[in-house]
Amino acid sequence: MAKRILQIFLVLLFIVLVVCGIIIGSYVFSSPNTELGSESRLLITGAWEDPDSDTKLEFDENGKFKVSILSSDTVEAEGFYRINEDRDLIKLFMFPGQHEESFNDYVRLFCFAQITYSNLKDNNIDYKKKYELKDAPVCTFLIKKAGSNTEGKIVNAKMPEKTLDLYSKGKKFEAKNK
């Protein structure tokens, strides 16, 4: 009898580990769409900053994100993301301990969070081109509170500089932090 219970327990443990591995792998090994004209391409091109909400959002080409406090450059949360362009939604995945207590209100199930975006405008600014801040790409982000689809932190962000060159042809992509 004890042998049978142990077998059932090990099978259930294996199933749970496989499901967790698939979920984690779908975030860790995903990369955003970099096709010309896609929203994902614009979202990863540089850091999004909002001085009013004191927030900086960074999404890189390898599927990693960082949410920082703009004034102190303190990282509130970091981890991996997936973009759903059809729903204007960015799903975040963080390992336990990769977010500060100030970000706890936005975390669901210990390691997931969601950001919706709207009003994404590029203004056709080229990589490393000098431009006025009034011409910068803009986007409105809503970092959703856990348990709510309409409440959260609103970030009306601008991209002060496009720091990612997606035409480097084999060179390593690196986005600046500042």
Side-chain angles (χ1 to χ4, degrees):
M1 182 66 167
K3 198 178 201 184
R4 187 75 169 147
I5 292 172
L6 181 63
Q7 285 178 336
I8 292 171
F9 174 74
L10 289 175
V11 167
L12 290 175
L13 180 66
F14 178 75
I15 291 171
V16 167
L17 289 175
V18 167
V19 169
C20 288
I22 290 170
I23 291 171
I24 291 170
S26 70
Y27 280 88
V28 172
F29 298 117
S30 71
S31 59
N33 181 5
T34 58
E35 292 178 14
L36 191 61
S38 71
E39 292 176 349
S40 299
R41 181 185 181 104
L42 178 58
L43 288 170
I44 68 171
T45 306
W48 294 92
E49 299 177 358
D50 181 14
D52 295 335
S53 68
D54 197 25
T55 304
K56 180 178 181 180
L57 300 168
E58 298 174 78
F59 304 99
D60 76 6
E61 73 281 356
N62 297 319
K64 294 182 181 176
F65 79 92
K66 191 185 301 182
V67 178
S68 307
I69 298 171
L70 188 59
S71 60
S72 65
D73 230 12
T74 304
V75 177
E76 277 191 299
E78 62 183 337
F80 300 93
Y81 72 91
R82 288 190 311 191
I83 298 175
N84 184 340
E85 290 185 19
D86 296 332
R87 295 181 55 206
D88 296 338
L89 181 69
I90 304 170
K91 295 180 180 181
L92 308 178
F93 170 75
M94 301 155 284
F95 287 111
Q98 284 190 317
H99 61 85
E100 297 293 322
E101 283 188 34
S102 59
F103 201 76
N104 280 346
D105 290 343
Y106 309 107
V107 178
R108 304 166 190 225
L109 298 174
F110 304 108
C111 56
F112 294 99
Q114 289 186 354
I115 300 175
T116 58
Y117 62 91
S118 60
N119 304 326
L120 182 63
K121 293 186 181 74
D122 186 7
N123 299 330
N124 295 320
I125 304 298
D126 293 328
Y127 167 71
K128 291 242 182 194
K129 180 182 175 188
K130 297 293 180 195
Y131 57 89
E132 300 292 323
L133 196 55
K134 65 178 174 61
D135 297 329
V138 295
C139 188
T140 302
F141 296 97
L142 171 65
I143 304 173
K144 293 182 178 183
K145 279 195 172 185
S148 173
N149 282 331
T150 58
E151 293 181 25
K153 181 179 186 179
I154 296 175
V155 180
N156 293 311
K158 289 188 176 191
M159 185 185 300
E161 179 184 14
K162 287 189 174 183
T163 57
L164 181 64
D165 184 9
L166 293 171
Y167 297 109
S168 64
K169 297 201 178 181
K171 296 179 187 170
K172 173 114 176 91
F173 298 115
E174 291 194 16
K176 292 181 186 174
N177 290 330
K178 295 183 181 180

